[in-house]
Amino acid sequence: MPRQLPSSAHPFRLPTGGRIDRSRTLTFRFDGVAYTGHPGDTLASALLACGVRQVATSIKLGRARGVFGVGSEEPNALVRIEAPYAEAMVTATTVELCEGLVAFGLPGRGRLPDGPDPARYDAVYAHCDVLVVGAGPAGLAAALAAARTGARVVLADENGELGGSLLGRGAADDWGARARDELAGFPQTRVLRRTTVFGYYDDNYLLALERRTAHLGAAAPAHVSRERVWRIRAGRVVLATGAHERPIAFADNDRPGVMLASAARAYVHRFGVAPGRRAVVFTACDSGYPAALDLAAAGTEVAAIVDARPQAGLWAQRARDAGLPVRAGHAVTGTSGDPCLTSVAVRELRDGEPTGPVAVVDADTLLVSGGWNPTVHLFSQAGGTLRHDPARVAFVPRECRQAVEVVGSAAGAFTLAECVADGARAGARAANREATEADLGHVLAPPPDPDDIGGGAPPVPLWLVPGPDEPRTHFVDLQRDVTVADLRRATGAGLSGVEHLKRYTTAGTAHDQGRTSGVLTTGVAAHLLGVEVSALGTTTYRPPYTPVPFAALAGRDRGALHDPVRVTALHDQHLARDAVFENVGQWKRPWYYPLAGEDMAAAVARECRAAREGVAFMDASTLGKIDVQGADAGVFLDRLYTNMISTLKPGRIRYGVMCRADGMVLDDGTVLRTADDRFLVTTTTGNAAAVLDWMEEWLQTEWPQLRVHCASVTEQWATVALVGPRSRDVLSALAPQLPSSSDDFPFMAWRDTRVAGVAARVCRISFSGELAYEINVPPWYAPHVWEAIARAGAPYGITPYGTETMHVLRAEKGYPVVGQDTDGTVTPQDLGLGWAVSAKKRDFVGKRSHARADTARPDRKQLVALLPDDRHTLLPEGGQVVADAPLPAPPVPMLGHITSSYRSTALGRTFALALVRGGRERVGQRIYVPVGSVLVPVTVAEPVLYDPEGARRDG
Amino acid sequence: MLLIPCPWCGPRDEAEFTYGGQAHVPYPRDPAALTDEEWARYLFFRDNPKGPHAERWCHTISCRRWFNVVRDTATNEVLAAYRIGEAGPVIS
Amino acid sequence: MSAGTRPPGADLPEHPDHLWREPDPKRSYDVVIVGGGGHGLATAHYLARAHGITNVAVLERGWLAGGNMARNTTIIRSNYLWDESAAVYEFALKLWEGLEAELDYPLLFSQRGVLNLAHSLQDVRDSVRRVEANRLGGIDAEWLDADGVREVCPIVDISPAARYPVLGGTYQPRAGIAKHDHVAWALARSADAAGVDLIQGCEVTGIDVRGGRVTGVRTTRGSIAAGRVALCAAGHTSVLAAMAGFELPLQSHPLQALVSELLEPVHPTVVMSNAVHVYVSQAHKGELVMGAGIDAYTAYTQRGAFHVVERQMAAALELFPVFARAHVLRTWGGIVDVTPDASPIVGRSPVAGLYLNCGWGTGGFKATPGAGAILAHTVAHDEPHPLARPFSLDRFTTGALVDEHGAAAVAH
């Protein structure tokens, strides 16, 4: 049962400050408990305001963990969200609070939501002259400087508000506000908030994720995409991605209450939240001091500033002046609490070793600043190389092949003035302009920086504070529970490279991808190995910068939009006749047309009978059609087809086979000669695009001198196959001008005529062995012609048939189907199509390969028919063929496999086509097909089982 | 996503193109005259350098033209693009 | 799947306290293996274990097992179409089944089964063909209809309304996954313990050939003489062959893969779909591991293009709607060396004493112990292992290809 806190219970909310809207209250629940917060809060800031210290437990050791950071670098505060939207695993620091939010802390492992995801997702392309990533002071200055030149600028920032570290910082914030306002006035500038640039690819192609509705909670409009992927091609890129503060490895450095110093500051300034009542600050650079001063100003008691540096410099003086105790040359050596922090152990640090007495300081908060890691992830993704800058104790960008510049703290600049000047110059440069004072105006004049006190002390590299015991609670990677002891074990096992250390310990592999732990891991490992940090380097930064939802990347390409559905002009006719459809490539083709109460077998038997005994018709529109024109068209087709095409007479049709250069069958189909310089080529349905591409490739890259042009006309013609002994009767009624005798309109000829009053091209070709016609008409007339055929055929019992019947009919005639009876390893000769392979032509594509040793072998797998001894046994397509019964022990030698298998009404039995080793030599032999535990005896036969004399094609 | 400079259309996203393997591998003038070894070289052997590589691309979903590109396979940098029949750059 | 009261992730076994030495290269070895990935390390292991050859160096230009071995999706199966391929991969699978014991190392070899889905009638024919061939070949294989698919993997969407509905799938129960780093490190530790020198940061810059016979290699760490040299360099094999003066029918392509964040167990097996181009498993810690097809162009960049990943995600959600709010945590690319028939080249090269092991394309990980054992045999006897004979270089001349991707032709 949720426990209810008093609604006013924000014990850590400061009375003033922060960029939150205190006039409105939001209610939310965390781990079953109801809390409140304000618009502008993140889940993390709201929890801190409410005094929730422990947010999760750790993955391996089950230790209590609290909020550690303030943004996407957060390693601890992983949560699952149940309402008003579902999330498997996100960081509480990046969840904008909304009314009714329901979240649960996670022990390092997410839980996928059960139900379907109702949200929409989409993607947008953007092109710009300058992309600026990050809208802190450097990024704002860069964007402004570029925008003022008139350049097309995109500025992307992962937060809901532009400003970065300036947010909530008084005068500095005002400067940011002026920059934001001015940017809004440039029509060529696009500002993307809540947008994380997560990938940097070749040729300045970057990807960003915009979170568009989550912050609106239940009020999110359903028609707006929840998340949008931006695909950005940028002329130049300015990376103003900032820096992440680095933790330090000391005993029990993971307790709730331990937090990055910069994060604590942000909670004060941006959210009006005090991280605790009494704080100790542990720092190895100047950054701990302004954090301490800010906290003190906000009312948190600062019990001690523990500075690892013996000479703390100006900042220490300023802190002492403000009454804050500073212990220079000291280190935090441990923490206590159950589990949340209650005290901190402090000792003097001499040559990296704690020494002297332990001072225990009561505190509920420990701020840590081990220095800064420039956020160089995107720069590295771009192919940029890094160097280690010992003065800044940081890996900074070195060089990159791409048009990119890194500015501000991402480049190692850590004062506001530096960042702004750096950014402004880079922005102007990126827009191809050298910046002048006049151009840049107030951009070059940043506000007074309270952190810039005119001189500081250099940072020191402090990775590890040893002791008091084995370093089993000195965490380097909080999320993976990786400790210094783990790293020591890895180096002890003989590992000396960061990639191996990472894999041995799993450091850096968690949700945060080592954002805060990566360089610390390197530092500790270097310390353990006794080498320079620069020699060890970092692991490779890979996309994405932050985790990206699968659904966002899938975008709109789901369901019906996953792949286009192609339907023919006759689709409505098929629907009206209750067709069952088959996917053939992208096409929907009628598979069979069941009548009420019929199963597939019954429907197909009926359709077959109609085609063999009366008349039947099918939609053949999906066959590929290519118009090949030009003076050299005949020469061209002779080179691509295995048989002779150029000798074909206008008005006639020839069947042809194409091979790949390796001699294997690529495709087959009919070729119509429509004029001396023009052919209409048909292809299989699935290969239509591939064959056109094939023709274009040869024409453009090998034979550009040939005067030939190709165009796809697949969708310019609808095609109806009219099949069966009564087909001539049906067609005569619809096309009275068409000669009906085979003498005047012979097999393998075509004529232009009118069918049902529509201009049509009629071909006398047959894929069934029956008298048959293919009627081609413009697609918009196709429904009319189809229905006219149906009406004219009604007296003969005309029957529509689908692909299954087509397959039965063609298989009875031994006609192979490319892609079903072939698999890319089959030659025309293997299929028994040697008659279609010209011996006369000097060459055609594939010819040379037919002469190779293996390709010319007489015992290759050849297409034959198989007749089961039992006339009712239907062999499984894909079944294997073996020579002997009973089966020997595995591996059993196999002769080949069944490519097609059907029940034949015409033959009164089942039959199959198979590719069988030395098959033609085996005709008449008994071989076997294992089906389950049974060996089915079959007899090998010539592949043409029905009307082998071809007596039926003229009716 | 490479940015490929189609000599006919200008720079376009890689997704608009089809890769066609090594350029300048002409179909043999007389395949019948080749030994099996020579024919196998034509069929199956293509350069696979780590570095500049002359290769064919087709702008499939736009102008449908084939053309040649020199690309560094170690960096994906496109060094040149030229039409079929034009001389390519000299790669040292 | 255990509900488990222990914190998730606590169950990954730890690596041992000692892995390998870091020796400097000697002036000369009996055998030099170029490439310290899975295949190179396995070859070293079996040279020592099966043939007693231990004066061996494995030369690795980067860090051990940092190439494709660190970048693959760890799928292990043997249900290939052609007898020759199935024999090699089944030989490897049998070795996998004894490998944890052989190497005394937790490899997280998990025989959770692999499903290959069929989405069209032709897919069904091809699937049944493969299942029937596998069964006769002595390989465990089953054809499952759509309901059978859902029984094995309840989160697969088998709705007939899908754009390309799942019509069924082949299932190999003995197939599965293993943890790649553990596998590589176990082999490395074994080879190191047998006296093999594992030399990292050592790039081969030349191959010395005298009188048609290899005599050694030149490296960034000096010249090393060797009577026999075995190439186990995957995507970089063409570069090495050029140093030895011959060419190979290989093309090196980027192959991308990715992982999600750690998630509670939802996916009990491995699912592959060639039709919608995705394969996915859920690894031991809980991350979804996914791969797709190769990038179209050749490259040595170890990175691919992102639209390939976007398309892969769309395909994944078609099959697994439940993955919608999983997140891509990390993407990467390997360099796979692909042959014209998508089968490997294993055996002698045109240079005496120089042995080839390449062209494994996208299938190298699952072959790891098998490839190592076969190559070790070939090197030890200067004679191709019987299982390697169909995979000789001269098949491209005779036309006797082992065409594993020709079998994926689609038409009607």
Side-chain angles (χ1 to χ4, degrees):
Chain A
M1 284 299 288
R3 287 174 288 120
Q4 190 74 41
L5 283 179
S7 63
S8 60
H10 289 186
F12 289 87
R13 183 75 73 184
L14 298 168
T16 59
R19 300 183 61 83
I20 51 171
D21 177 2
R22 292 169 193 260
S23 70
R24 288 168 55 211
T25 297
L26 303 173
T27 60
F28 70 101
R29 294 207 303 183
F30 180 72
D31 280 348
V33 182
Y35 300 99
T36 61
H38 296 297
D41 265 325
T42 62
L43 176 58
S45 71
L47 287 171
L48 287 170
C50 294
V52 177
R53 314 285 286 182
Q54 177 179 351
V55 178
T57 51
S58 72
I59 186 159
K60 245 161 69 178
L61 306 171
R63 289 169 71 96
R65 295 284 166 78
V67 174
F68 189 75
V70 72
S72 64
E73 80 286 1
E74 171 64 38
N76 281 343
L78 295 172
V79 298
R80 172 171 71 83
I81 295 180
E82 250 182 32
Y85 51 87
E87 273 291 3
M89 181 153 90
V90 288
T91 49
T93 51
T94 58
V95 174
E96 293 185 51
L97 198 66
C98 60
E99 178 60 33
L101 186 82
V102 178
F104 297 87
L106 287 175
R109 187 141 91 158
R111 182 187 300 170
L112 287 171
D114 283 334
D117 178 11
R120 306 166 63 115
Y121 303 88
D122 60 15
V124 174
Y125 288 90
H127 296 79
C128 59
D129 300 313
V130 181
L131 168 66
V132 179
V133 183
L140 280 173
L144 209 43
R148 285 183 187 172
T149 69
R152 292 177 304 160
V153 176
V154 172
L155 171 64
D157 188 272
E158 61 181 343
N159 288 310
E161 288 189 291
L162 307 185
S165 62
L166 302 178
L167 286 170
R169 299 280 302 280
D173 206 354
D174 295 343
W175 181 92
R178 287 201 306 281
R180 292 192 288 273
D181 291 346
E182 189 184 340
L183 273 176
F186 292 108
Q188 299 248 72
T189 293
R190 184 193 294 278
V191 174
L192 296 172
R193 294 179 299 149
R194 297 187 177 86
T195 303
T196 307
V197 177
F198 65 81
Y200 197 144
Y201 286 82
D202 289 320
D203 298 323
N204 266 0
Y205 183 77
L206 293 94
L207 289 133
L209 180 76
E210 181 185 9
R211 292 166 294 276
R212 305 181 74 206
T213 66
H215 63 287
L216 302 174
H223 66 279
V224 174
S225 61
R226 175 174 174 184
E227 287 162 339
R228 169 172 285 176
V229 171
W230 286 84
R231 301 164 177 164
I232 304 169
R233 185 75 74 171
R236 295 187 66 84
V237 173
V238 177
L239 295 177
T241 44
H244 289 131
E245 206 166 26
R246 187 165 62 226
I248 300 167
F250 53 86
D252 296 314
N253 60 343
D254 65 329
R255 235 176 254 294
V258 181
M259 185 183 279
L260 291 172
S262 55
R265 284 185 96 185
Y267 285 113
V268 170
H269 293 303
R270 281 173 58 190
F271 304 103
V273 172
R277 305 262 183 249
R278 192 163 197 269
V280 170
V281 179
F282 180 24
T283 190
C285 61
D286 281 349
S287 296
Y289 290 93
L293 287 162
D294 284 357
L295 252 67
T300 299
E301 181 188 350
V302 175
I305 300 173
V306 180
D307 190 334
R309 301 169 300 177
Q311 307 298 329
L314 275 180
W315 271 109
Q317 194 51 53
R318 185 170 283 213
R320 288 192 183 103
D321 292 348
L324 308 186
V326 175
R327 300 194 191 188
H330 279 64
V332 170
T333 57
T335 68
S336 299
D338 183 26
C340 299
L341 187 77
T342 51
S343 72
V344 174
V346 177
R347 291 178 81 185
E348 193 184 347
L349 198 62
R350 200 171 290 163
D351 298 329
E353 291 292 330
T355 182
V358 177
V360 175
V361 184
D362 288 345
D364 62 1
T365 302
L366 171 59
L367 309 191
V368 179
S369 181
W372 291 88
N373 301 331
T375 308
V376 292
H377 301 63
L378 289 174
F379 181 76
S380 293
Q381 285 183 29
T385 55
L386 306 178
R387 68 182 172 84
H388 187 254
D389 180 344
R392 299 176 198 262
V393 197
F395 287 96
V396 295
R398 179 157 53 191
E399 58 184 1
C400 184
R401 190 174 62 74
Q402 304 212 44
V404 58
E405 195 164 348
V406 187
V407 299
S409 54
F414 290 129
T415 71
L416 189 53
E418 262 183 288
C419 288
V420 169
D422 210 16
R425 276 189 223 101
R429 223 171 9 243
N432 272 323
R433 291 271 295 275
E434 278 306 314
T436 66
E437 297 282 333
D439 282 337
L440 300 172
H442 78 255
V443 175
L444 272 180
D449 178 2
D451 289 1
D452 185 1
I453 57 168
V460 291
L462 178 69
W463 315 106
L464 168 65
V465 180
D469 305 310
E470 284 296 293
R472 290 208 186 87
T473 63
H474 297 54
F475 290 90
V476 289
D477 186 332
L478 291 166
Q479 197 173 143
R480 287 299 312 157
D481 271 345
V482 176
T483 66
V484 173
D486 296 323
L487 279 172
R488 199 164 70 183
R489 212 169 143 258
T491 56
L495 302 181
S496 59
V498 283
E499 296 286 358
H500 280 153
L501 295 170
K502 163 183 162 177
R503 283 164 173 76
Y504 191 99
T505 62
T506 74
T509 64
H511 185 271
D512 63 349
Q513 290 286 287
R515 203 97 68 231
T516 56
S517 67
V519 175
L520 178 60
T521 303
T522 292
V524 171
H527 170 82
L528 294 171
L529 291 164
V531 301
E532 293 295 320
V533 169
S534 57
L536 216 48
T538 67
T539 57
T540 310
Y541 298 110
R542 296 192 185 281
Y545 171 64
T546 53
V548 182
F550 285 17
L553 297 177
R556 301 292 300 276
D557 296 347
R558 294 173 64 182
L561 296 180
H562 182 61
D563 205 26
V565 173
R566 298 177 80 184
V567 296
T568 72
L570 294 169
H571 196 66
D572 288 345
Q573 275 61 42
H574 306 322
L575 290 173
R577 286 166 175 79
D578 298 324
V580 175
F581 291 90
E582 176 193 6
N583 284 319
V584 182
Q586 293 172 328
W587 291 99
K588 294 282 182 194
R589 295 196 73 182
W591 191 13
Y592 57 98
Y593 297 82
L595 298 178
E598 266 186 343
D599 63 7
M600 179 173 167
V604 170
R606 174 179 49 76
E607 293 171 14
C608 286
R609 239 182 342 261
R612 291 273 181 235
E613 297 169 13
V615 62
F617 66 145
M618 89 172 293
D619 179 2
S621 305
T622 63
L623 283 185
K625 304 170 204 71
I626 302 169
D627 189 354
V628 181
Q629 295 191 40
D632 296 319
V635 175
F636 172 62
L637 294 176
D638 277 351
R639 293 183 187 180
L640 290 189
Y641 280 94
T642 59
N643 49 341
M644 196 72 89
I645 302 296
S646 57
T647 54
L648 188 64
K649 300 276 183 293
R652 302 299 299 230
I653 302 171
R654 191 165 288 167
Y655 170 79
V657 180
M658 277 187 231
C659 287
R660 305 184 313 217
D662 66 0
M664 303 303 154
V665 171
L666 167 69
D667 203 52
D668 71 344
T670 53
V671 182
L672 287 66
R673 189 160 206 166
T674 55
D676 280 340
D677 61 350
R678 193 165 181 187
F679 296 82
L680 186 76
V681 167
T682 70
T683 74
T684 55
T685 296
N687 272 343
V691 171
L692 179 62
D693 289 347
W694 179 246
M695 290 180 166
E696 292 279 9
E697 180 179 340
W698 284 97
L699 273 177
Q700 292 186 36
T701 68
E702 291 292 344
W703 306 319
Q705 72 282 6
L706 291 184
R707 293 160 296 171
V708 179
H709 294 278
C710 303
S712 167
V713 292
T714 300
E715 306 207 31
Q716 276 63 36
W717 294 99
T719 305
V720 180
L722 183 63
V723 177
R726 309 307 297 267
S727 57
R728 183 176 283 135
D729 300 321
V730 177
L731 190 57
S732 298
L734 294 171
Q737 296 140 319
L738 193 68
S740 63
S741 79
S742 283
D743 292 338
D744 296 328
F745 185 16
F747 185 60
M748 297 304 266
W750 63 268
R751 297 285 183 270
D752 280 342
T753 184
R754 299 187 82 78
V755 174
V758 174
R761 172 171 294 159
V762 179
C763 304
R764 264 208 64 197
I765 53 180
S766 177
F767 198 37
S768 59
E770 299 296 332
L771 174 68
Y773 301 88
E774 274 189 13
I775 302 159
N776 296 279
V777 295
W780 43 89
Y781 295 121
H784 161 74
V785 171
W786 175 272
E787 297 299 348
I789 292 170
R791 279 192 302 276
Y796 309 99
I798 194 166
T799 301
Y801 70 95
T803 51
E804 187 68 13
T805 291
M806 175 190 81
H807 279 296
V808 177
L809 300 174
R810 64 88 196 172
E812 289 167 344
K813 287 291 292 177
Y815 297 148
V817 165
V818 172
Q820 178 170 342
D821 301 297
T822 72
D823 62 4
T825 67
V826 178
T827 66
Q829 295 87 343
D830 297 340
L831 291 174
L833 297 175
W835 58 268
V837 180
S838 169
K840 276 189 279 183
K841 283 197 290 185
R842 204 162 141 267
D843 192 30
F844 55 83
V845 172
K847 181 180 172 77
R848 176 63 186 81
S849 289
H850 293 156
R852 292 176 303 170
D854 192 76
T855 322
R857 253 183 27 226
D859 65 339
R860 287 176 61 81
K861 289 180 182 169
Q862 292 150 350
L863 190 73
V864 291
L866 301 181
L867 299 173
D869 286 9
D870 171 15
R871 303 171 73 85
H872 302 290
T873 299
L874 183 66
L875 298 169
E877 289 177 342
Q880 295 287 326
V881 180
V882 300
D884 301 308
L887 284 181
V892 179
M894 289 165 261
L895 298 176
H897 76 285
I898 293 164
T899 58
S900 302
S901 176
Y902 306 102
R903 293 179 200 283
S904 168
T905 314
L907 301 172
R909 60 165 304 128
T910 57
F911 74 104
L913 297 177
L915 285 165
V916 176
R917 187 166 298 288
R920 285 200 281 275
E921 287 294 309
R922 294 179 194 269
V923 168
Q925 286 181 14
R926 153 84 46 89
I927 56 177
Y928 302 90
V929 177
V931 179
S933 55
V934 180
L935 268 186
V936 177
V938 300
T939 302
V940 182
E942 294 285 354
V944 185
L945 297 170
Y946 183 77
D947 184 27
E949 311 78 30
R952 302 184 60 86
R953 70 173 200 211
D954 290 327
Chain B
M1 181 82 81
L2 305 180
L3 190 65
I4 296 175
C6 171
W8 303 90
C9 305
R12 295 289 189 277
D13 279 352
E14 167 195 337
E16 297 184 13
F17 297 83
T18 306
Y19 180 68
Q22 184 185 351
H24 312 303
V25 184
Y27 186 72
R29 195 171 289 273
D30 184 5
L34 301 185
T35 64
D36 281 358
E37 287 72 20
E38 288 164 339
W39 179 245
R41 289 199 69 73
Y42 167 72
L43 278 185
F44 296 126
F45 286 67
R46 293 292 182 273
D47 287 351
N48 188 27
K50 186 177 186 176
H53 183 232
E55 60 197 21
R56 307 181 310 162
W57 288 85
C58 180
H59 199 180
T60 323
I61 63 168
S62 185
C63 68
R64 295 189 62 79
R65 297 270 196 176
W66 283 89
F67 60 97
N68 296 322
V69 163
V70 176
R71 181 178 55 95
D72 188 328
T73 64
T75 62
N76 278 342
E77 190 172 6
V78 173
L79 306 171
Y82 50 101
R83 299 177 182 186
I84 297 287
E86 290 179 353
V90 177
I91 307 296
S92 54
Chain C
M1 262 174 276
S2 64
T5 49
R6 302 178 65 184
D11 296 321
L12 270 195
E14 301 228 309
H15 293 287
D17 287 330
H18 176 71
L19 285 169
W20 51 72
R21 302 164 288 129
E22 288 209 359
D24 288 322
K26 297 191 289 190
R27 301 286 298 273
S28 152
Y29 292 92
D30 292 342
V31 178
V32 160
I33 296 167
V34 183
H39 286 206
L41 294 169
T43 303
H45 164 74
Y46 285 110
L47 274 175
R49 181 185 174 90
H51 306 284
I53 299 173
T54 56
N55 185 23
V56 175
V58 177
L59 309 184
E60 169 53 50
R61 74 190 182 103
W63 39 283
L64 281 184
N68 290 350
M69 192 64 179
R71 296 158 196 274
N72 70 88
T73 51
T74 81
I75 297 171
I76 296 165
R77 62 185 179 93
S78 66
N79 56 348
Y80 276 65
L81 174 65
W82 300 108
D83 304 349
E84 298 88 343
S85 314
V88 165
Y89 289 106
E90 178 62 16
F91 173 67
L93 180 50
K94 291 213 167 75
L95 289 175
W96 278 112
E97 288 173 327
L99 205 58
E100 284 203 350
E102 179 177 325
L103 297 169
D104 186 24
Y105 204 112
L107 305 181
L108 298 164
F109 175 55
S110 162
Q111 291 178 291
R112 58 183 64 189
V114 170
L115 270 171
N116 290 70
L117 301 181
H119 299 267
S120 69
L121 298 177
Q122 189 56 40
D123 279 355
V124 173
R125 290 182 196 105
D126 292 339
S127 301
V128 172
R129 176 186 177 189
R130 192 154 48 81
V131 164
E132 293 295 326
N134 288 160
R135 292 166 77 105
L136 292 172
I139 292 167
D140 59 321
E142 296 169 36
W143 164 254
L144 304 177
D145 62 12
D147 288 328
V149 166
R150 186 161 56 183
E151 256 175 55
V152 171
C153 189
I155 55 173
V156 173
D157 180 10
I158 60 164
S159 155
R163 177 67 185 90
Y164 292 111
V166 173
L167 302 182
T170 69
Y171 185 55
Q172 184 180 22
R174 285 165 60 241
I177 57 174
K179 186 100 177 90
H180 43 16
D181 295 333
H182 289 237
V183 173
W185 295 4
L187 291 165
R189 183 180 67 155
S190 165
D192 174 87
V196 172
D197 284 352
L198 308 178
I199 301 164
Q200 305 183 65
C202 180
E203 182 171 0
V204 170
T205 56
I207 295 179
D208 291 322
V209 179
R210 224 165 292 146
R213 181 158 196 97
V214 72
T215 57
V217 296
R218 275 164 281 152
T219 80
T220 49
R221 296 180 68 177
S223 289
I224 301 172
R228 284 168 284 180
V229 174
L231 302 185
C232 294
H236 276 80
T237 305
S238 294
V239 176
L240 290 162
M243 293 176 192
F246 61 91
E247 291 176 63
L248 292 168
L250 294 174
Q251 296 280 287
S252 296
H253 290 267
L255 175 65
Q256 300 185 75
L258 61 90
V259 290
S260 76
E261 72 273 62
L262 307 190
L263 297 164
E264 291 178 12
V266 290
H267 182 25
T269 182
V270 182
V271 171
M272 311 178 67
S273 168
N274 290 333
V276 296
H277 265 114
V278 71
Y279 39 96
V280 55
S281 65
Q282 186 169 19
H284 308 82
K285 293 205 306 274
E287 67 272 37
L288 300 171
V289 182
M290 308 179 72
I294 57 174
D295 278 39
Y297 49 83
T298 61
Y300 288 81
T301 49
Q302 290 191 325
R303 54 195 262 148
F306 198 71
H307 64 282
V308 177
V309 172
E310 291 178 295
R311 190 67 192 159
Q312 176 190 355
M313 288 299 104
L317 293 199
E318 285 297 288
L319 292 178
F320 301 99
V322 71
F323 291 170
R325 294 311 296 179
H327 295 75
V328 176
L329 192 62
R330 184 176 176 86
T331 67
W332 64 87
I335 313 169
V336 296
D337 44 333
V338 179
T339 61
D341 61 358
S343 285
I345 302 170
V346 181
R348 286 191 292 238
S349 79
V351 173
L354 182 63
Y355 304 92
L356 299 174
N357 172 64
C358 58
W360 291 93
T362 61
F365 177 76
K366 66 179 70 68
T368 299
I374 287 169
L375 183 61
H377 175 104
T378 303
V379 171
H381 296 93
D382 188 31
E383 175 68 34
H385 187 284
L387 288 173
R389 280 197 194 109
F391 300 101
S392 67
L393 193 49
D394 74 350
R395 71 179 188 270
F396 298 100
T397 304
T398 65
L401 305 184
V402 187
D403 198 347
E404 282 292 340
H405 65 188
V410 179
H412 254 295

